[in-house]
Amino acid sequence: MRVQIDETRLFVISDLHLGNPSSTARSRVVPFLDHALDVRANICINGDGFDLAQTSFPRLAGDAVPVLGRLRKLQESGLRVYYVVGNHDMALEHFLSDLVFTELAPFLNVRSGGRRIRVEHGHLYDPWFVRVPRIYDAGTKLIGHALTIVPDIYSTYARVERRIDSWRSERSGTVSADPYHGAAERLAERGFDAMIFGHTHNAETVDLGGATYLNSGNWMRSNSYVDIDEGAVSLRRWDP
Amino acid sequence: MDEVEAARGRGGLNRITSRRAGLLRPYGVERRAAAGEVLVRQGDTDREMYLVRSGRVQISRDIGGRRVVLGEIGPGDFFGEMALLESEPRSADAIALEDATLLVIGPGTLLMRIRNDPTLAVEMLQRLSGRVRSLHARLADGFGDDGAREFDGL
């Protein structure tokens, strides 16, 4: 397990949820990976690249093949492909580690341009996932069944999540009441210059006063990614 | 490709600037050291471990009246964990080679830190494992081929 890496250029994407009935990632991520090949950027899939928790197996098979093919092409060209495990793909851990073209890790400490950057999926800081894992798991599966019947429920779910988050922030008077921001602060105390999470599906950049928290968002219905370039870290949207 | 500054519509880059100093204590305290400052001394009985946030620190010890440098560490590395975990006196000196900032974690805050920052435990285990592997290799070298075979079986 290698968690310390040195990279000049790295694109971080997360939450593709390939195999999930709601995921439309495949059509966008394949040209995005071609773009990474063109600009010689290494790739990190920061968790939930594949979805076993809410999967449709025919969908997973259809989505995975072209994406894995592109990742292999990147690797054959000399680029590196990293895979950070999330909560929807934990069961795929052994399968993924056998794919020789990915380096699998629970998190990555990236050194780039003299800066230290943590890349981590972030589910460890999800209060529901940590405190009531069985309820979380049951809820995830239940939503998975609903998604199979009505895939667009995801959009409604995402809107409700955003509303709840905004309400919580307004009520507390500070955005740092968010558990992910708090977790990023703990890492900043250890000297990391930037922390990149996924999991929440909400792309954002937060200045922690001397360090920066970024969330790479999702590719289920969106196309945001984090670009690490010689230590500079920025949240971008893929627009082919 | 446009830079996304706040995809959640919060109107630009969010800022958090005021909480960190106040909340640092339950998870450890910050310490600044000037170049040349002795951070821990061999034989001392204090129990904190140190995480290096910036700067470089030299680890050395006195062996039979001779100063032996064991290594230099930098941002992301830690030292002093043996005294914390085993409640034994410090086994080496740690001296700041340049101005440094450190996070000091005591026995009472270690679990709180790991609970809220669980990957620290993995990083500690990984580094301790690396040290054990390195010591095994050096021991095996010292034993020679026959000794190494015997050592492997321990």
Side-chain angles (χ1 to χ4, degrees), chain A residues 1-7 10 42-47 71 75 78-85 93 95-108 119:
Chain A
M1 180 172 80
R2 191 162 73 108
V3 299
Q4 311 284 343
I5 62 167
D6 292 273
E7 287 298 354
L10 182 68
N42 302 288
I43 286 285
C44 173
I45 298 177
N46 188 20
L71 292 173
Q75 206 256 350
L79 292 169
R80 284 170 294 280
V81 177
Y82 301 96
Y83 198 101
V84 173
V85 179
E93 204 166 10
F95 170 72
L96 290 168
S97 65
D98 285 341
L99 297 175
V100 291
F101 53 89
T102 58
E103 297 204 39
L104 198 76
F107 60 88
L108 290 171
V119 179

Coordinates of all heavy atoms in Angstrom, one line a residue, chain A residues 1-7 10 42-47 71 75 78-85 93 95-108 119:
Chain A
M1 N 0.9 -1.2 0.0 CA 0.0 0.0 0.0 C 0.9 1.2 0.0 O 1.6 1.5 0.9 CB -0.9 0.0 1.3 CG -1.8 1.1 1.4 SD -3.0 0.9 2.8 CE -1.9 1.4 4.2
R2 N 0.8 2.0 -1.1 CA 1.7 3.2 -1.2 C 0.7 4.4 -1.1 O -0.2 4.6 -1.9 CB 2.4 3.2 -2.6 CG 3.4 4.2 -2.7 CD 4.4 3.9 -3.8 NE 3.7 4.1 -5.1 CZ 4.0 5.1 -6.0 NH1 5.0 5.9 -5.7 NH2 3.4 5.2 -7.1
V3 N 1.0 5.2 -0.1 CA 0.1 6.4 0.1 C 0.9 7.7 -0.1 O 0.3 8.7 -0.3 CB -0.5 6.4 1.5 CG1 -1.4 5.2 1.7 CG2 0.5 6.5 2.6
Q4 N 2.3 7.6 -0.1 CA 3.0 8.8 -0.4 C 3.4 8.8 -1.8 O 4.1 7.9 -2.3 CB 4.3 8.8 0.5 CG 4.1 8.5 2.0 CD 3.6 9.7 2.7 OE1 3.6 10.8 2.3 NE2 3.0 9.4 3.9
I5 N 3.0 9.8 -2.6 CA 3.4 9.9 -4.0 C 3.8 11.3 -4.4 O 3.5 12.3 -3.7 CB 2.2 9.5 -4.9 CG1 1.0 10.4 -4.8 CG2 1.8 8.0 -4.7 CD1 -0.1 10.3 -5.9
D6 N 4.6 11.4 -5.4 CA 5.1 12.6 -6.0 C 4.5 12.8 -7.4 O 4.7 11.9 -8.2 CB 6.6 12.7 -6.0 CG 7.3 12.7 -4.7 OD1 7.4 13.8 -4.1 OD2 7.6 11.6 -4.1
E7 N 3.8 13.9 -7.6 CA 3.2 14.1 -9.0 C 3.3 15.5 -9.3 O 3.1 16.4 -8.5 CB 1.8 13.6 -9.0 CG 1.5 12.1 -9.0 CD 2.1 11.4 -10.2 OE1 2.6 12.0 -11.1 OE2 2.1 10.2 -10.2
L10 N -1.8 16.1 -11.8 CA -2.7 15.0 -11.4 C -4.2 15.6 -11.5 O -4.4 16.6 -10.9 CB -2.4 14.5 -10.0 CG -3.2 13.4 -9.4 CD1 -3.0 12.1 -10.2 CD2 -2.9 13.2 -7.9
N42 N -1.7 12.7 -15.0 CA -2.0 11.5 -14.3 C -3.4 11.5 -13.7 O -4.0 12.6 -13.6 CB -1.0 11.2 -13.2 CG 0.4 11.1 -13.8 OD1 0.8 10.2 -14.5 ND2 1.2 12.2 -13.5
I43 N -4.0 10.4 -13.4 CA -5.4 10.4 -13.0 C -5.6 9.7 -11.6 O -4.9 8.7 -11.3 CB -6.3 9.6 -14.0 CG1 -6.5 10.4 -15.3 CG2 -7.6 9.1 -13.4 CD1 -7.5 11.5 -15.2
C44 N -6.4 10.3 -10.8 CA -6.8 9.7 -9.5 C -8.3 9.6 -9.5 O -9.0 10.7 -9.6 CB -6.2 10.5 -8.3 SG -6.9 9.9 -6.8
I45 N -8.8 8.4 -9.3 CA -10.3 8.3 -9.1 C -10.4 8.2 -7.6 O -10.0 7.2 -6.9 CB -10.8 7.0 -9.8 CG1 -10.6 7.1 -11.3 CG2 -12.3 6.8 -9.4 CD1 -11.1 5.9 -12.1
N46 N -11.0 9.3 -7.0 CA -11.0 9.4 -5.6 C -12.3 8.8 -5.0 O -13.1 9.5 -4.3 CB -10.9 10.9 -5.2 CG -10.7 11.2 -3.8 OD1 -10.4 10.3 -3.0 ND2 -11.0 12.4 -3.3
G47 N -12.5 7.6 -5.2 CA -13.6 6.8 -4.5 C -14.9 6.8 -5.3 O -15.2 7.7 -6.1
L71 N -8.5 3.8 -19.1 CA -7.5 3.9 -18.1 C -6.3 3.1 -18.4 O -5.1 3.4 -18.2 CB -8.1 3.4 -16.8 CG -9.2 4.2 -16.1 CD1 -9.8 3.5 -15.0 CD2 -8.6 5.6 -15.7
Q75 N -2.3 4.2 -18.9 CA -1.2 3.5 -18.2 C -0.2 3.1 -19.2 O 1.0 3.2 -18.9 CB -1.8 2.4 -17.4 CG -1.0 2.0 -16.2 CD -0.2 0.7 -16.5 OE1 -0.4 0.0 -17.5 NE2 0.7 0.4 -15.6
G78 N 2.4 5.6 -20.2 CA 3.3 6.0 -19.2 C 2.7 6.8 -18.1 O 3.4 7.2 -17.1
L79 N 1.4 7.1 -18.2 CA 0.8 7.9 -17.1 C 0.4 7.0 -16.0 O 0.3 5.8 -16.2 CB -0.4 8.6 -17.7 CG -0.2 9.7 -18.6 CD1 -1.4 10.2 -19.3 CD2 0.5 10.9 -17.9
R80 N 0.2 7.5 -14.8 CA -0.2 6.7 -13.7 C -1.7 6.9 -13.3 O -2.2 8.0 -13.5 CB 0.7 7.1 -12.5 CG 2.1 6.5 -12.5 CD 3.0 7.1 -11.5 NE 3.2 8.5 -11.6 CZ 4.1 9.0 -12.5 NH1 4.8 8.2 -13.3 NH2 4.3 10.3 -12.6
V81 N -2.3 5.8 -12.9 CA -3.7 5.8 -12.5 C -3.8 5.3 -11.1 O -3.4 4.2 -10.8 CB -4.5 4.9 -13.4 CG1 -6.0 4.9 -13.0 CG2 -4.5 5.4 -14.9
Y82 N -4.3 6.2 -10.2 CA -4.5 5.9 -8.8 C -6.0 5.7 -8.5 O -6.8 6.3 -9.1 CB -4.0 7.0 -7.9 CG -2.5 7.3 -8.1 CD1 -2.1 8.4 -9.0 CD2 -1.5 6.6 -7.5 CE1 -0.8 8.7 -9.2 CE2 -0.2 6.9 -7.7 CZ 0.2 7.9 -8.5 OH 1.5 8.2 -8.7
Y83 N -6.2 4.8 -7.6 CA -7.6 4.5 -7.2 C -7.7 4.6 -5.7 O -7.1 3.8 -5.0 CB -8.1 3.2 -7.7 CG -9.6 3.1 -7.7 CD1 -10.3 3.2 -8.9 CD2 -10.3 2.9 -6.6 CE1 -11.7 3.1 -8.9 CE2 -11.7 2.8 -6.6 CZ -12.4 2.9 -7.8 OH -13.8 2.9 -7.8
V84 N -8.4 5.6 -5.2 CA -8.7 5.7 -3.7 C -10.1 5.1 -3.5 O -11.0 5.4 -4.1 CB -8.7 7.2 -3.3 CG1 -9.1 7.3 -1.8 CG2 -7.3 7.7 -3.5
V85 N -10.1 4.2 -2.5 CA -11.4 3.4 -2.3 C -12.4 4.3 -1.5 O -12.1 5.0 -0.6 CB -11.1 2.1 -1.4 CG1 -12.3 1.4 -1.2 CG2 -10.1 1.3 -2.2
E93 N -12.6 -4.0 -3.7 CA -11.2 -3.7 -3.4 C -10.2 -4.7 -4.0 O -9.2 -4.4 -4.6 CB -11.0 -3.7 -1.9 CG -9.8 -2.8 -1.4 CD -9.9 -2.5 0.1 OE1 -10.8 -3.1 0.8 OE2 -9.1 -1.8 0.5
F95 N -10.7 -7.0 -6.3 CA -10.8 -7.0 -7.8 C -10.0 -5.8 -8.4 O -9.2 -6.0 -9.3 CB -12.3 -6.8 -8.2 CG -12.5 -6.6 -9.7 CD1 -12.3 -7.6 -10.6 CD2 -12.9 -5.3 -10.1 CE1 -12.5 -7.3 -11.9 CE2 -13.2 -5.1 -11.4 CZ -12.9 -6.1 -12.4
L96 N -10.2 -4.6 -7.8 CA -9.5 -3.5 -8.3 C -7.9 -3.6 -8.1 O -7.2 -3.2 -8.9 CB -10.0 -2.2 -7.6 CG -11.4 -1.8 -8.0 CD1 -11.9 -0.7 -7.0 CD2 -11.4 -1.3 -9.4
S97 N -7.5 -4.2 -7.0 CA -6.1 -4.3 -6.7 C -5.5 -5.3 -7.7 O -4.2 -5.2 -7.9 CB -5.8 -4.7 -5.3 OG -6.3 -6.0 -5.0
D98 N -6.3 -6.2 -8.2 CA -5.7 -7.1 -9.2 C -5.6 -6.5 -10.6 O -5.0 -7.0 -11.5 CB -6.6 -8.3 -9.3 CG -6.4 -9.3 -8.1 OD1 -5.4 -9.1 -7.5 OD2 -7.3 -10.1 -7.9
L99 N -6.2 -5.3 -10.8 CA -6.1 -4.6 -12.1 C -4.7 -3.9 -12.0 O -4.5 -3.0 -11.3 CB -7.2 -3.6 -12.3 CG -8.6 -4.1 -12.3 CD1 -9.6 -3.0 -12.4 CD2 -8.8 -5.0 -13.6
V100 N -3.8 -4.5 -12.8 CA -2.4 -4.0 -12.7 C -2.2 -2.6 -13.0 O -1.2 -2.0 -12.6 CB -1.5 -4.9 -13.5 CG1 -1.4 -6.3 -13.0 CG2 -1.9 -4.9 -15.0
F101 N -3.1 -2.0 -13.7 CA -2.9 -0.6 -14.1 C -3.4 0.4 -13.1 O -3.4 1.6 -13.3 CB -3.5 -0.3 -15.5 CG -5.0 -0.6 -15.6 CD1 -5.9 0.3 -15.3 CD2 -5.3 -1.9 -16.0 CE1 -7.2 0.0 -15.4 CE2 -6.7 -2.2 -16.1 CZ -7.6 -1.3 -15.8
T102 N -3.9 0.0 -11.9 CA -4.3 1.0 -10.9 C -3.5 0.8 -9.7 O -3.1 -0.4 -9.3 CB -5.8 0.9 -10.5 OG1 -6.0 -0.5 -10.1 CG2 -6.7 1.2 -11.7
E103 N -3.2 1.9 -9.0 CA -2.5 1.8 -7.7 C -3.6 2.1 -6.7 O -4.2 3.2 -6.7 CB -1.4 2.8 -7.6 CG -0.3 2.5 -8.6 CD 1.0 3.1 -8.1 OE1 1.3 3.0 -6.9 OE2 1.7 3.6 -9.0
L104 N -3.9 1.1 -5.8 CA -5.1 1.2 -4.9 C -4.6 1.7 -3.5 O -3.6 1.2 -3.0 CB -5.7 -0.2 -4.8 CG -7.1 -0.2 -4.2 CD1 -8.1 0.2 -5.3 CD2 -7.4 -1.6 -3.8
A105 N -5.3 2.6 -3.0 CA -4.9 3.1 -1.6 C -6.1 3.6 -0.9 O -7.1 4.0 -1.5 CB -3.9 4.3 -1.8
P106 N -6.1 3.6 0.5 CA -7.2 4.2 1.2 C -7.2 5.7 1.2 O -8.2 6.3 1.4 CB -6.9 3.7 2.7 CG -5.5 3.4 2.7 CD -5.0 3.1 1.3
F107 N -6.0 6.3 0.9 CA -5.9 7.8 0.8 C -4.5 8.0 0.2 O -3.7 7.1 0.1 CB -6.0 8.5 2.1 CG -5.0 8.1 3.1 CD1 -3.8 8.7 3.2 CD2 -5.3 7.1 4.0 CE1 -2.8 8.3 4.2 CE2 -4.3 6.7 5.0 CZ -3.1 7.3 5.0
L108 N -4.3 9.2 -0.3 CA -3.0 9.5 -0.9 C -2.5 10.8 -0.3 O -3.2 11.8 -0.1 CB -3.1 9.7 -2.4 CG -3.4 8.5 -3.2 CD1 -3.7 8.9 -4.7 CD2 -2.2 7.5 -3.2
V119 N -5.4 13.5 -0.6 CA -6.6 13.1 -1.4 C -7.2 11.9 -0.7 O -6.6 10.9 -0.5 CB -6.1 12.7 -2.8 CG1 -7.3 12.2 -3.7 CG2 -5.4 13.8 -3.5

